[in-house]
Amino acid sequence: MAEGQKLSIKQAITGILKLQDQGRYSTLIGIGPMSSNLLKASFELARDEDFPLMFIASRNQVDKDELGGGYVNGWNQQTFAAAIKQVAADTDFTGLYYLCRDHGGPWQRDEERNAHLSVEKAMHLAKESYLADIEAGFDLLMIDPTKDPFQMGKVVDLDKIIEWTVELLEFCETERKKRNLPEIGYEVGTEETNGGLTTTQRYETFIKKLQAELSSRDLPMPSFIVGQTGTLTRLTEQVGHWNYANAIDLAKMAKKYGVGLKEHNADYMNDETLLLHNPAHITASNVAPQYGTEETRAYLKLIKVERRLKKEGLIKQASNLYDVLLDKAIRTERWRKWMEGDDVNLKVEDVLQDERLSTEILDISGHYAFNDPAVKKEIKTLYANLQANNINGPRFVIEHIKRPLLQYIKDLNLTGLTTALKSL
């Protein structure tokens, strides 16, 4: 557990469920750690608004160097934990924050899935990654063996999911106890829209079978079970059809077993839908690419300011951030997961020659290239040009990222939640 925390994430979720019984409903945000700027924006808001932070890192974002590392700041588990601890100190944050593994498990790194690794190899690498999570002090591990290594969109058989989930959870608990470490929370389930845990009946079947298997091995129940509420993120939009009736049914079902309903793909939601989350009793929602897009948009606005400064004769030479970021972002090819239809298979060179597509993909995937040395060099030049004219570029970026964060904080009734949990 991260330094200074008085509540484990398991205790926090239990507390949120208790607060529901007292008429206090709040939905935690699982924040995808897209950059150091996002960390700072998150900690400043959590400090001022008094709510717990959950940073959810996928294996593509943060992982062992030996397994390929992560695209976010080149972080592995240890450097990620250290960076978060440092930003917490820098922002005088003394509240609750949790390091969470999002989508841990076999075939969860793009290269592992593309290589169609065998079950044995994929499970071995998954365990290696989880062990690094545990040793780095992660508070929550998502056990997600739901990806099929051969067919995109195919949902793995439910019994097989349960078998692998139990095997991985048992491994994590064994390794945690060997090291005499504090309890870890677990998250299980799948948010797949095409056959995952979408109906109350299928959701309860999963919970019952999982509970029986875990109980027989004296293993803990998870803190979260992911259920499908209708969310779906494509491009930079929420294109899903959020379903209140399904959400409240799944939430009540989860609570019956003492766990919280977790929602994934909750980016770009409007106020109406967000405000309905509390009556729907959703315990937590994950948001990630939206914050990366907001940071990209902040840089694009500053680039326009910089160009104006040059036009007005206030600087000699503007940065080349736009062209460099555009090129690097497109060449990552990580944007493919957010595209629709045939655009998923577009060739990089064709995208680069299409101004409309290039602009669209930059908006979606600029954050995948923030750690590129050439991009960082141009950002440094941009900031210097702005600072020479009394414009604080880094502060503008952080405040820009705060805008969607604050919308979710207010709509999901997070203000004061840490104090409420500690008072139980």
Side-chain angles (χ1 to χ4, degrees):
M1 190 157 59
E3 186 176 354
Q5 289 181 7
K6 296 180 181 178
L7 294 173
S8 71
I9 196 164
K10 194 167 186 177
Q11 291 169 325
I13 302 312
T14 301
I16 288 172
L17 296 176
K18 283 181 182 175
L19 286 172
Q20 289 180 356
D21 296 334
Q22 298 175 14
R24 160 90 198 226
Y25 291 88
S26 299
T27 303
L28 290 171
I29 314 171
I31 299 170
M34 298 306 194
S35 69
S36 295
N37 284 324
L38 174 56
L39 295 185
K40 190 166 186 181
S42 301
F43 274 115
E44 288 181 3
L45 283 170
R47 176 197 64 204
D48 298 343
E49 298 292 333
D50 184 31
F51 69 93
L53 286 166
M54 288 196 313
F55 293 110
I56 53 161
S58 71
R59 288 189 59 204
N60 286 322
Q61 291 169 334
V62 174
D63 209 349
K64 280 185 72 172
D65 295 333
E66 294 84 348
L67 298 180
Y71 70 76
V72 179
N73 279 348
W75 281 328
N76 59 36
Q77 288 90 333
Q78 295 287 346
T79 53
F80 174 57
I84 287 183
K85 183 178 179 181
Q86 185 61 54
V87 178
D90 292 345
T91 53
D92 298 319
F93 181 82
T94 57
L96 300 171
Y97 71 85
Y98 300 107
L99 275 62
C100 309
R101 168 57 70 201
D102 188 34
H103 295 295
W107 306 293
Q108 290 292 351
R109 288 187 66 93
D110 290 345
E111 55 268 35
E112 291 177 10
R113 194 175 194 186
N114 294 338
H116 309 305
L117 295 183
S118 67
V119 173
E120 294 75 17
K121 181 65 174 173
M123 289 289 276
H124 171 76
L125 294 178
K127 289 173 181 177
E128 206 177 316
S129 179
Y130 280 131
L131 187 55
D133 294 345
I134 292 164
E135 291 179 337
F138 275 50
D139 303 286
L140 179 79
L141 302 178
M142 183 180 183
I143 311 291
D144 183 6
T146 63
K147 274 201 163 58
D148 186 287
F150 300 106
Q151 187 175 334
M152 295 291 284
K154 182 181 176 183
V155 178
V156 178
D157 176 74
L158 195 63
D159 288 333
K160 185 58 71 176
I161 290 173
I162 291 170
E163 178 190 328
W164 288 341
T165 296
V166 172
E167 179 183 338
L168 291 168
L169 198 153
E170 186 170 37
F171 168 82
C172 292
E173 277 296 282
T174 300
E175 296 301 324
R176 177 188 71 80
K177 288 175 181 176
K178 272 185 196 175
R179 290 159 178 76
N180 197 29
L181 293 170
E183 70 175 356
I184 292 172
Y186 293 97
E187 176 181 344
V188 301
T190 169
E191 84 280 9
E192 296 285 356
T193 53
N194 53 348
L197 302 180
T198 54
T199 66
T200 311
Q201 183 178 4
R202 185 171 170 81
Y203 197 69
E204 184 166 29
T205 298
F206 176 79
I207 296 175
K208 280 183 172 178
K209 286 186 174 183
L210 182 65
Q211 185 182 51
E213 290 296 324
L214 293 174
S215 178
S216 70
R217 292 167 172 77
D218 196 27
L219 295 169
M221 278 290 282
S223 298
F224 291 121
I225 298 185
V226 181
Q228 175 52 242
T229 60
T231 57
L232 182 63
T233 304
R234 287 292 179 267
L235 301 176
T236 55
E237 297 178 15
Q238 178 58 236
V239 300
H241 301 284
W242 192 80
N243 188 321
Y244 169 80
N246 208 48
I248 187 69
D249 285 350
L250 293 175
K252 286 180 177 178
M253 184 63 66
K255 189 172 181 178
K256 193 167 88 172
Y257 292 88
V259 300
L261 169 65
K262 185 92 171 295
E263 169 187 76
H264 284 207
N265 299 311
D267 306 73
Y268 308 109
M269 284 194 170
N270 58 37
D271 291 320
E272 176 191 344
T273 306
L274 288 173
L275 288 167
L276 286 168
H277 275 55
N278 288 331
H281 303 185
I282 296 172
T283 314
S285 297
N286 284 0
V287 184
Q290 180 175 3
Y291 302 135
T293 292
E294 284 300 324
E295 184 165 350
T296 298
R297 289 174 180 175
Y299 289 127
L300 295 178
K301 289 175 182 178
L302 291 178
I303 288 167
K304 287 181 179 178
V305 173
E306 184 190 34
R307 287 174 177 173
R308 184 65 183 270
L309 291 174
K310 185 167 188 306
K311 182 181 178 183
E312 301 295 341
L314 296 171
I315 58 172
K316 289 182 179 180
Q317 186 64 47
S319 70
N320 193 31
L321 180 57
Y322 184 87
D323 290 339
V324 172
L325 184 59
L326 180 104
D327 182 78
K328 298 292 185 181
I330 290 169
R331 292 188 188 282
T332 67
E333 300 192 52
R334 292 187 180 276
W335 42 268
R336 295 189 187 281
K337 71 180 289 189
W338 307 114
M339 302 302 282
E340 296 181 295
D342 293 338
D343 285 352
V344 172
N345 301 312
L346 285 165
K347 292 181 179 178
V348 166
E349 297 306 322
D350 291 340
V351 172
L352 287 168
Q353 291 172 23
D354 187 316
E355 186 178 351
R356 182 194 64 80
L357 263 176
S358 292
T359 304
E360 186 176 77
I361 287 174
L362 172 59
D363 193 40
I364 298 166
S365 60
H367 60 277
Y368 293 122
F370 289 164
N371 196 48
D372 187 282
V375 172
K376 290 200 282 192
K377 180 173 178 283
E378 296 301 328
I379 290 174
K380 188 177 179 180
T381 301
L382 168 73
Y383 283 165
N385 283 333
L386 294 169
Q387 190 59 50
N389 288 276
N390 302 307
I391 298 170
N392 188 332
R395 177 44 54 183
F396 174 80
V397 171
I398 289 165
E399 295 299 330
H400 198 279
I401 296 168
K402 283 184 180 180
R403 296 172 190 178
L405 270 166
L406 193 57
Q407 176 198 13
Y408 278 62
I409 291 162
K410 294 302 183 182
D411 286 355
L412 299 179
N413 193 35
L414 285 172
T415 302
L417 180 57
T418 296
T419 296
L421 287 170
K422 287 181 176 180
S423 68
L424 286 171

